[in-house]
Amino acid sequence: MMSHFAWTIDVPPMYGELHIFLAILYICAAVILTRFALRLGYDERIRLFSFAGWILLASEVFKQLFVYQVVNGGVYNFWYLPFQLCSVPMYLCILLPHLSRKNQKTVLTFMLGYTFVSAVATFIFPEDILRPYIILTIHGFDWHAVLLFISLTIGLSGMADTSFKGFLRATYLFLALAAVAVLINIITELYSSTAGCKIRGYANMFYLSPFHSSNQPIVSSVEASLGRIPAMILYTISIISASGLVNYFFHRKNHNGVAVM
């Protein structure tokens, strides 16, 4: 039945008309949703983020089924495991209402910096979401617009702990998630190499696979010159640095202005 929804197109080029149109459309949508969310109180926003997490989960289930049945003809592909840097906010948002206020602050600080960076980077470099199936392309832009909305709302409302210690705790969370991602990459690589494995592809969660080349800009050039492990380290440091700049920007903004709580 799902094959009837397989609306195929030529793979849209990056920086082509469709990319630019969808990026502008979804960024504007994220800003509009943020303006609405800023009118809510802290607890109401937590519930809104949790609801967004469940929506993301439902859309991810649809994506997994679509890829499994339509794209890959009933064969699973490790590439689509939902544990990228852009995927983990789905789990964190669902968990938010069940965490203590301190742990909520850590998660919110993580989603302020690290989720903002991953969302914006994908809008700028959307190679992995521009697909020959329009449903998957729209899903990718939908997903990252939700992430941008969440991170903007956190930043503009002052919900995160943007102090140095707060960002450090968020970075520990990022490093723990990155370690899990690398472990997934290693386990799936070992499993896919076993005799009789019928699963396609390979996992490259957080784009930190020690086995496969990175397709990320600049990092791929470093990898060609210095090797994969130095490139992985540089990539990780780059994400932390960019997230730190976002955290610092909102820290200055909310410190010098009035945070909406």
Side-chain angles (χ1 to χ4, degrees), residues 106-121:
T106 298
V107 169
L108 292 169
T109 307
F110 170 87
M111 292 196 294
L112 166 61
Y114 290 95
T115 298
F116 181 88
V117 167
S118 63
V120 170

